Amino acid sequence: QGRSQANWRSDARGQSIYIFNLRVWTQNQSPPRLSQAENHLSALLAVIGMVWTKKLVDLTQYAFVRAASFVLNLFPFSLTLRLAGPVGFLLFCVLSKQRRMAIENIRKAYGSERSESDIRSVARGSFRHLAEFGIEWLLMPRIIRDPSRFLARVEGLEPFQAALQKRKGALLLITHTGNWEIQALMLGLRVAQPSGVSTYALARPLRNGYLYRHVLRLRGAMGLESIDKSGGARETFERL
C-alpha cells in the first residue's frame, strides 16, 4: 500500500495548482520532503503544462473556425445567412448567463415602457444579430474575392477623401454597431484603395493569437492595418 505526495503553488491569478510527484512510500513511512530543486522543477513542469494546454485549446478553436468558414463558403450567400435565425435562437437558449444579462440591460433601458414579452423579443433579436455577425465574418473570404457585389455603398466620404488626397491625416469616427469587421473592409475598399493611402484602425487583440493573426490577414486584404489598442493613441498620432 502506498500514498502519493502532493504539493501546491499559487499562480499569478491566485489559483491553486496541485503538483503531484511520482514517489510512493509504504504505509508506515513518513512522506519525504521535496527538495528546493524538486519544487522548482515541479512548478516549471506545471507552467509548461498550462502553456501547452492553452496552445492546444487555441489551435482547436482556430481549426474549428477555419473549417466552419470553408464549409459555409461552399453554399450560396443568402442561404447561409438564413442560418442566423435558428443559430441565434439556439444561442439565446443555451447561453443562460448572457441571456439574463441581455434581458436585465434591456429592462433597465426601457423601464416600464416595454412589456416583459417585448423585452425578451428584443433580447432574442440581439442574439440573432450576433449570429448574423458571426456568419458574415465566416463569409469574409468570399466577400473579399468579390467586394463590389457584397459591400454596401458608403455616402458622405467626400470630405474625408479630400483631406487624404491633400496628404493630411484624418480621423474617421464610426459607431461600434453592426458588423465592424465588414466596416473595416469597406473602409479599405472605399477609402484606402481609391485614395492610395494607408488606413488604420484601433483594435483590441484577441486572446487567441492564431485567430487574431487570421483576423489581421482578413482586414489587411482591403488595405486596412490595425493598431493595438494598448498604447494606441501615441501610434495613431504618429500615423497622422
Side-chain angles (χ1 to χ4, degrees), residues 42-59:
S42 297
L44 177 61
L45 292 176
V47 171
I48 294 174
M50 288 188 296
V51 171
W52 278 105
T53 299
K54 184 181 185 308
K55 283 185 175 292
L56 180 60
V57 171
D58 289 349
L59 278 172

Side-chain angles (χ1 to χ4, degrees), residues 12-123:
R13 295 170 297 178
Q15 298 177 341
S16 295
I17 304 171
Y18 290 88
I19 306 167
F20 293 86
N21 65 3
L22 301 179
R23 291 186 176 183
V24 177
W25 56 92
T26 60
Q27 187 70 29
N28 56 0
Q29 289 179 323
S30 60
R33 295 176 61 87
L34 289 175
S35 66
Q36 186 176 8
E38 288 174 322
N39 280 328
H40 290 166
L41 178 60
S42 297
L44 177 61
L45 292 176
V47 171
I48 294 174
M50 288 188 296
V51 171
W52 278 105
T53 299
K54 184 181 185 308
K55 283 185 175 292
L56 180 60
V57 171
D58 289 349
L59 278 172
T60 302
Q61 293 174 345
Y62 173 71
F64 176 79
V65 168
R66 294 301 302 270
S69 177
F70 175 79
V71 172
L72 290 178
N73 278 280
L74 297 176
F75 296 94
F77 193 89
S78 58
L79 178 63
T80 307
L81 284 180
R82 292 179 185 176
L83 293 174
V87 171
F89 179 77
L90 179 63
L91 293 176
F92 181 80
C93 295
V94 173
L95 302 179
S96 58
K97 179 180 178 180
Q98 288 75 11
R99 179 181 67 245
R100 290 193 299 269
M101 184 184 302
I103 292 175
E104 183 62 25
N105 289 339
I106 296 171
R107 187 182 291 119
K108 290 179 180 179
Y110 286 105
S112 59
E113 297 179 12
R114 294 290 186 94
S115 64
E116 192 64 23
S117 61
D118 288 340
I119 290 175
R120 292 183 66 88
S121 177
V122 173

Side-chain angles (χ1 to χ4, degrees), residues 36-226:
Q36 186 176 8
E38 288 174 322
N39 280 328
H40 290 166
L41 178 60
S42 297
L44 177 61
L45 292 176
V47 171
I48 294 174
M50 288 188 296
V51 171
W52 278 105
T53 299
K54 184 181 185 308
K55 283 185 175 292
L56 180 60
V57 171
D58 289 349
L59 278 172
T60 302
Q61 293 174 345
Y62 173 71
F64 176 79
V65 168
R66 294 301 302 270
S69 177
F70 175 79
V71 172
L72 290 178
N73 278 280
L74 297 176
F75 296 94
F77 193 89
S78 58
L79 178 63
T80 307
L81 284 180
R82 292 179 185 176
L83 293 174
V87 171
F89 179 77
L90 179 63
L91 293 176
F92 181 80
C93 295
V94 173
L95 302 179
S96 58
K97 179 180 178 180
Q98 288 75 11
R99 179 181 67 245
R100 290 193 299 269
M101 184 184 302
I103 292 175
E104 183 62 25
N105 289 339
I106 296 171
R107 187 182 291 119
K108 290 179 180 179
Y110 286 105
S112 59
E113 297 179 12
R114 294 290 186 94
S115 64
E116 192 64 23
S117 61
D118 288 340
I119 290 175
R120 292 183 66 88
S121 177
V122 173
R124 284 194 298 270
S126 67
F127 278 83
R128 182 175 62 253
H129 172 71
L130 177 63
E132 290 175 351
F133 180 102
I135 292 174
E136 287 176 349
W137 186 82
L138 292 172
L139 294 174
M140 279 178 65
R142 180 185 299 182
I143 297 175
I144 291 171
R145 288 195 297 268
D146 191 5
S148 60
R149 176 183 176 188
F150 296 106
L151 295 183
R153 184 178 70 255
V154 182
E155 298 179 351
L157 283 177
E158 291 78 10
F160 187 73
Q161 292 172 332
L164 293 178
Q165 289 174 357
K166 295 177 181 178
R167 298 300 172 181
K168 294 182 178 180
L171 292 174
L172 179 63
L173 302 180
I174 61 174
T175 58
H176 205 258
T177 57
N179 191 328
W180 50 87
E181 295 295 342
I182 298 297
Q183 291 177 5
L185 293 183
M186 293 171 62
L187 182 61
L189 178 67
R190 308 300 185 192
V191 176
Q193 293 184 5
S195 303
V197 298
S198 298
T199 54
Y200 304 87
L202 280 172
R204 182 175 61 185
L206 299 177
R207 293 181 180 179
N208 188 324
Y210 302 102
L211 274 178
Y212 187 57
R213 285 190 289 273
H214 178 58
V215 169
L216 293 180
R217 287 193 296 269
L218 292 176
R219 293 174 181 170
M222 290 296 168
L224 181 72
E225 300 181 38
S226 295

